[in-house]
Every structure is written in C-alpha cells, then in structure tokens.
Amino acid sequence: MSFLNSWRASKYTVKQKPDDIELPERASVLPATVQFFVKEFISSLVSPVHPQLLSPEDLTNTFHNFYRKADEFMLSTLIPNPESPNHDVPLLSPEEMETQKMAKQHLVKQKDEWMNIIEGIACEYLYDRLFCLSTSTDENKDDLLKKFACSDEKNGLLNCLPIEEEVKKRLENIAETFFTLNRLKTPLLKMNIFMNVNEKIIEASNLPKEELNADNLLNLTIFCILSFHGSQLLSHLNFVLRFRNPDYLSGEQKYCLTTFEAALSFVLRACPNLLTHCPMQPADDPLSVEPSTKEELPSSENATSDIEANNEQKSSLSNLRGLGIALEKSYSSFVNRVAGHALRNSNLSTDNVVSIDDPPLERFLTMSDASELKISEINTLLADYKRLARLLFDKQAENS
Amino acid sequence: MASNPVPKNVVTVNQKLVLLGDSAVGKSSLVLRFVKDQFDDYRESTIGAAFLTQTVPIDDSTSVKLEIWDTAGQERYKSLAPMYYRNANCAIVVYDITQASSLEKAKSWIKELQRQAPEGIIIALAGNKLDLAHERRAVEKSDAEAYAAEANLLFFETSAKTAENVNELFTTISKKLPLEDKLNQARGNAPRGVNLSESWPNPPSGGTCAC
C-alpha cells in the first residue's frame, strides 16, 4: 500500500504548475499571454482541486467557457475596436478604409487559426483523460454497439432500411474510413473524418439532391454505422460533440454531427441486448435523447416498432424489446435519481482518481466489508471499476 | 448563378429553423420551393434537401439567415427529433390538407415542441398541398386555423407545387423572431475585453482532477 501511496502522492496530490506544462512546438505561434492562459487551463483540470469528478456536461461547459474567454481576449487585444470612445479615428480615404478593412479581416482569420490551435493543444494534452470519459457511459455503449454490429441480430434492422444492394456494398467500404479516427486526437481532425464519411455516404447514395432528405440520410448513416466493425465510434463522436468549439461549427457541420448522433442513438435503442448490457443512460449524456423527465416513457417503442413488425418470427427477444426498453428506462430513471443524489451529497473530497494509469482507489481497497460502503460512494466506485476494467482490457490487448 | 447584391451595413443574424411533420406531407418540397424560388443566391448544401440555408431580409438594416433543418418523418425515427430541434429558434410543423391524420400528427409535434423545445421558440403550422384543395381537401382551413389560434401559432395553407404562400410562411416566421440580443452582439454593442488572469475553478479544499 505504501507503494500505491507514494505513486499517488507523486502524481496527483501536488498541483501541476502552469510553468511545468510543456506545450507542443505548434504553440510557439501563439502570443505568450495566450500560451500561459492555455497552460493555466490545463493545470486547472489536471490538478487535484475539484471536490468531485466533473460530469461530461460540466466538463463540456468548462471547455466551452475556456474557448469563449480565449476568443474574447484575442478579439479585445488583437483587433482594434473603432467604437471605443478613447480611440481617435482619423479621416480616411476610401483606399485607406479598404486597406484597414482587409487588415482587420486578416487579423480575424489569424485569430480563428489560433483558436483552432488552442483547442487542438488543450484536447491533445488531455486526450487520455477526455476520450471515453470515465464519468460517461461511452464505453458501455461502444461495447454494445460493437457486439451488435458483429452479430447476426443486426440483420433484422438492416433489412428494414430501404437501400439498394449496390449502394449497400459501397456503404460497407465507406465504413472503413472510421478506422482513421483512432489515430487522431483533436476534435477538429475527428470531425473532419465524420464530415468526410458523410460526404462519401451522399456520393454513394446516388440520390438526386431533392430526394436527399433527413429520412434517407438517416437510413444510409445507420447502415454505414452497422457496417463498421471497429470500436469506440460513439466515444469518437462524443469527443467531437463535447470538445469542439461550438462557435467554429457551421450549420451544415452541426447537422451532419446530429445525424450521426441520431443514427447511433437509434441503433443503440434497437439493440436487443440493451436491457442486459447498458442499464444506465444519464441525462447528461449527449447521446441520451430522453427529452424530459416530465415524460414518463418517451416514445422509444416507436423507434423500434417498425423493425419489430418485420422480424417477429426471427427473434422472440425482439418481441419483448419494447417492453424491455420501457422497463430499462424506468430502472435507469431510478438508478439515475439515486446516483444523482449520491453525487450531490458526495463527501469524498480528495481520493478520486481518473487517469487510466492510476492505482485502484485506496478507500475501496482497504474496505473489508460492503457495509462500510456509503451510498454517496457508489458513483465513485463505479467510475473506478470501469477505469480499471479498461486498463485491464488495454493491457490484455497489448499482450496479445 | 447570379447573386443579389448585398446592401452594405446590413447585419445578418443566423437562426435555426426546424421542419417537422409526418412522412410525405411535403416538408422537403416546401423548403426547396422556398430556397430555390425566392432568391437566386441560395447556397446548395452538400446534404441536399436535409439542410439548406436562405437569407431573408427583415428591414433595411437586418437580415435573417435561416439554417433550415429537415427531420425524419418516419414514425420509427420520431424519438430522435429532440436532437434536431434542440437550440432551434423557430419551427414549421407541416401537415397535408388531404390527410386528416397528418394534422393529428402535427398536433402531437406541436404539443411536444411546446413542452420540450427551447423557451420562446416560434412555431408555425403549415397545411401543405393547397393545390389539391378543390379535389381532395380533408382538413377544413377554419378548423386548422382555430386550432392554430388557440395554440398561439402562426398559420398558413401552402402549396409547394404552385409556391402559394411559401415565401409568406418563411418571411412571417423570420419577422417574428426576437433578434434584439443577437443584433446587439453583431453590432458590437456587447462588452469587449476579458481578464485572462482570472483563475480557473479553484475550490478552497483539495480534490481531484476534473476529467
């Protein structure tokens, strides 16, 4: 235990100072103030100053707030504001005004480039902690998705999609593009892959643009997702949705990402193993489409009713799917309420560990009996269990 | 494709519009008619009719750039709709005047929007396929109009085929949008300057890293 203590002490109980953080070479183009700002932000996230783990939603807000502040700072220091009362405005000729306008456009462009660099640096530095967040259900859902995509059970769903055989073959090839996501570590680069896949799907469909509506696009995207036999697709998408600067997403990019999000959500809802493999869908999860707690049972039966109608004879499990999902939702709603209550009342202040390489939490290692476990610790225990399981799988994968 | 000259000093505000309604009521046709007919400078997106943008002039100094999001009308995709209408500024719920059941579906969409969509969303009800009114009308205009008035909605009967009332529908909804905050921001009235020395979350007692 002393070894574990010293390991933890050296790694996580000492606040990492901003000056200790080494930024990559590409950060050198940023002004020194901005570089320090980025280091300070990273330091604030990796240091043991938070009373509890941030939920995916809170972490997303923290990043968005960071982007907003960096943007405002650069706007206020880089780009002159002619409306400022202290600014003397000289009389300019039209040519001079045009030159000034072009110079301003250049500065705005430079600011945009810097904002992308800032986002890339922060997310890449923290990638091991941000990707497949331990406080999210990403990992469970990814496992479920992979199992479903590799099983014959998906055929019932695929057969419901009105897509020509020739197009299906093309979509299967396109799905291979998703493998590229594994080696990219910034939200922008990952997003470009999703956009690229989306473009290829549209090309493969051969549909005239007038017929390329939301229904057709969803059908094609669902087929493409189910043709992918890799893993962690949902984690990759959530990484983009959480950490890409929202001010730098065009409407079309937002629409494409929403289509992937909706397609993944539909597949997960249609998956017959949902009941046993993925009991929790917290409201803070971007992939959770439960619209409101006001609605007792969202119309998830609708999402699967068409499929069930076509496959009644194929699987008895499918017949129970609607009921299963309804039960699962009631259960998860209960579990979430308990977990939420536990989080709010959590008084574990110093022992939470997140990094994948950390040892198990001492609090639970030294516990001799389950009766010592407090309800407020359940969430922490679950998060740590998932982290250790992931570590184990990674090690096994390395060995094999 | 020729483009209309953009007047100087016009502030353009981006707004998200979502289209909802049963399958085959003509959502895509309606939006295609609007973006292709009204102006010739519309930008065709790579996602065809699923996502389109169109700029609507509001007055001499203001324009609204509508980002028009199509949603899937199939029943099995109904539960995915909240992902599409989150952060929407306005919505058009479309029904087919020759199909009474499509109005019932539209009503259920409206109820859902009023319950779950962002606060202050502007909703319009559009009865499409007006060109078929003489032969196959199944929903009386007065009935739909009364429902719209009761539910505080904008209401139009439209025809994507003949373009009747299509521009009016999109222009009216654009003019109803509350743009004051966005205009202030765009005109640079928002306070500028930020203090980077302000520290990040730093609770008094020790704890864990955040992620």
Side-chain angles (χ1 to χ4, degrees):
Chain A
M1 195 53 67
S2 59
F3 166 70
L4 294 178
N5 283 337
S6 59
W7 187 11
R8 278 180 53 70
S10 64
K11 204 169 177 188
Y12 290 104
T13 53
V14 181
K15 180 172 177 173
Q16 200 172 359
K17 289 175 189 163
D19 289 338
D20 300 337
I21 293 168
E22 207 172 307
L23 298 182
E25 182 57 34
R26 66 180 188 279
S28 59
V29 298
L30 300 171
T33 339
V34 177
Q35 282 185 42
F36 185 77
F37 179 58
V38 176
K39 286 181 183 180
E40 203 179 46
F41 173 68
I42 293 172
S43 162
S44 77
L45 283 178
V46 298
S47 301
V49 295
H50 298 269
Q52 63 189 31
L53 301 178
L54 293 180
S55 69
E57 196 180 39
D58 289 340
L59 200 55
T60 304
N61 290 338
T62 305
F63 266 79
H64 290 184
N65 192 27
F66 163 65
Y67 296 145
R68 187 185 50 75
K69 274 183 128 180
D71 196 280
E72 282 176 8
F73 170 72
M74 284 195 274
L75 265 180
S76 62
T77 53
L78 269 181
I79 301 166
N81 182 5
E83 285 170 20
S84 165
N86 300 325
H87 191 81
D88 296 328
V89 184
L91 189 62
L92 297 173
S93 68
E95 290 78 26
E96 284 170 329
M97 281 175 75
E98 190 59 29
T99 313
Q100 203 177 58
K101 195 179 161 188
M102 281 173 70
K104 190 176 173 180
Q105 281 172 351
H106 174 74
L107 288 172
V108 170
K109 200 177 159 196
Q110 187 171 56
K111 184 212 66 164
D112 292 347
E113 280 169 18
W114 285 352
M115 282 305 297
N116 279 330
I117 292 173
I118 289 171
E119 177 192 283
I121 289 170
C123 291
E124 207 168 334
Y125 195 97
L126 298 164
Y127 187 77
D128 290 343
R129 296 156 190 258
L130 300 179
F131 183 70
C132 202
L133 269 178
S134 59
T135 50
S136 73
T137 55
D138 295 0
E139 199 176 353
N140 285 349
K141 287 176 177 168
D142 271 326
D143 286 348
L144 179 62
L145 192 68
K146 189 179 178 182
K147 280 176 193 153
F148 187 56
C150 295
S151 74
D152 293 335
E153 288 176 285
K154 72 171 179 182
N155 294 335
L157 179 53
L158 291 179
N159 292 338
C160 291
L161 302 172
I163 303 171
E164 290 170 17
E165 284 307 313
E166 200 182 312
V167 177
K168 283 182 180 176
K169 278 180 193 157
R170 282 185 231 140
L171 290 174
E172 280 165 4
N173 291 332
I174 292 167
E176 300 290 307
T177 314
F178 285 131
F179 280 110
T180 321
L181 289 165
N182 293 329
R183 61 179 172 81
L184 304 173
K185 294 190 173 181
T186 71
L188 175 62
L189 295 175
K190 283 187 198 285
M191 186 195 70
N192 288 342
I193 298 297
F194 281 106
M195 297 304 291
N196 183 246
V197 170
N198 186 67
E199 259 174 53
K200 287 179 178 176
I201 288 174
I202 289 160
E203 270 175 37
S205 73
N206 268 351
L207 286 169
K209 290 201 167 174
E210 291 74 26
E211 287 177 33
L212 201 60
N213 56 24
D215 285 271
N216 289 330
L217 200 55
L218 259 178
N219 289 338
L220 295 161
T221 310
I222 288 169
F223 188 92
C224 192
I225 285 171
L226 285 172
S227 304
F228 177 58
H229 293 124
S231 56
Q232 297 187 311
L233 191 56
L234 188 137
S235 295
H236 288 298
L237 180 67
N238 277 346
F239 185 78
V240 178
L241 293 172
R242 287 174 189 141
F243 305 117
R244 176 71 183 140
N245 188 344
D247 294 340
Y248 285 77
L249 282 173
S250 69
E252 197 169 326
Q253 286 169 336
K254 282 179 192 165
Y255 190 88
C256 287
L257 292 174
T258 303
T259 304
F260 279 109
E261 191 184 352
L264 277 166
S265 177
F266 182 78
V267 173
L268 284 167
R269 279 161 180 247
C271 181
N273 293 327
L274 194 65
L275 190 61
T276 49
H277 283 78
C278 192
M280 285 178 72
Q281 287 187 326
D284 59 6
D285 190 323
L287 266 183
S288 172
V289 291
E290 287 174 57
S292 160
T293 48
K294 282 181 263 177
E295 198 174 52
E296 285 290 312
L297 291 174
S299 51
S300 53
E301 291 99 328
N302 295 333
T304 53
S305 61
D306 293 0
I307 304 155
E308 285 167 13
N310 290 334
N311 295 291
E312 270 182 355
Q313 71 284 15
K314 290 187 183 168
S315 163
S316 59
L317 199 53
S318 296
N319 294 331
L320 293 170
R321 194 178 300 156
L323 177 63
I325 291 172
L327 282 170
E328 182 264 326
K329 282 187 181 299
S330 316
Y331 171 70
S332 70
S333 156
F334 168 74
V335 170
N336 286 340
R337 274 203 295 271
V338 172
H341 178 77
L343 255 182
R344 279 192 297 279
N345 295 309
S346 173
N347 48 20
L348 266 185
S349 59
T350 57
D351 292 338
N352 296 355
V353 182
V354 188
S355 177
I356 192 73
D357 294 317
D358 246 12
L361 285 175
E362 290 166 22
R363 169 84 181 100
F364 304 118
L365 275 182
T366 51
M367 201 175 280
S368 56
D369 193 280
S371 61
E372 291 175 62
L373 192 65
K374 294 175 192 165
I375 196 155
S376 59
E377 294 171 333
I378 292 173
N379 228 40
T380 316
L381 179 62
L382 181 66
D384 202 50
Y385 170 80
K386 285 182 187 171
R387 181 182 61 80
L388 293 169
R390 188 174 151 204
L391 182 64
L392 194 66
F393 287 138
D394 288 350
K395 297 279 180 213
Q396 279 175 346
E398 273 174 29
N399 292 338
S400 64
Chain B
M1 194 169 281
S3 63
N4 291 344
V6 181
K8 282 188 176 176
N9 301 323
V10 171
V11 177
T12 304
V13 179
N14 284 12
Q15 296 283 278
K16 176 175 170 181
L17 184 152
V18 65
L19 282 171
L20 296 156
D22 209 358
S23 279
V25 294
K27 297 190 293 290
S28 307
S29 309
L30 205 58
V31 70
L32 279 166
R33 170 61 76 186
F34 171 61
V35 297
K36 288 193 172 178
D37 267 19
Q38 196 187 13
F39 306 104
D40 48 12
D41 67 340
Y42 85 97
R43 194 179 66 82
E44 212 167 87
S45 77
T46 53
I47 9 181
F51 175 87
L52 287 161
T53 60
Q54 179 60 285
T55 305
V56 181
I58 301 296
D59 55 40
D60 292 345
S61 60
T62 318
S63 286
V64 167
K65 185 182 173 189
L66 290 176
E67 294 180 343
I68 306 167
W69 290 46
D70 187 28
T71 62
Q74 291 175 65
E75 187 60 32
R76 64 176 164 192
Y77 294 142
K78 191 174 187 291
S79 61
L80 306 175
M83 291 179 179
Y84 287 85
Y85 62 66
R86 91 188 141 205
N87 300 325
N89 304 99
C90 47
I92 297 177
V93 183
V94 188
Y95 72 94
D96 174 355
I97 64 161
T98 69
Q99 296 283 336
S101 62
S102 69
L103 178 62
E104 293 312 308
K105 288 273 172 60
K107 285 180 180 176
S108 82
W109 279 119
I110 288 161
K111 267 186 202 160
E112 186 178 321
L113 282 173
Q114 288 176 332
R115 211 171 49 232
Q116 288 157 19
E119 208 177 323
I121 188 171
I122 309 291
I123 307 173
L125 176 67
N128 197 28
K129 306 194 184 177
L130 185 58
D131 51 292
L132 300 174
H134 294 301
E135 306 135 46
R136 290 165 50 192
R137 181 186 279 277
V139 179
E140 288 307 318
K141 184 181 178 186
S142 55
D143 293 346
E145 211 164 20
Y147 166 74
E150 193 187 327
N152 201 19
L153 315 170
L154 296 171
F155 174 74
F156 286 92
E157 282 196 334
T158 58
S159 168
K161 192 173 178 184
T162 65
E164 192 174 349
N165 280 341
V166 175
N167 288 347
E168 288 79 355
L169 167 67
F170 284 91
T171 308
T172 309
I173 202 166
S174 302
K175 287 184 175 173
K176 270 270 187 178
L177 288 163
L179 303 173
E180 204 54 43
D181 287 350
K182 291 252 180 176
L183 283 173
N184 282 339
Q185 249 178 6
R187 290 188 173 122
N189 294 349
R192 282 166 64 106
V194 63
N195 179 13
L196 284 192
S197 60
E198 190 185 310
S199 62
W200 289 99
N202 198 11
S205 62
T208 179
C209 66
C211 43

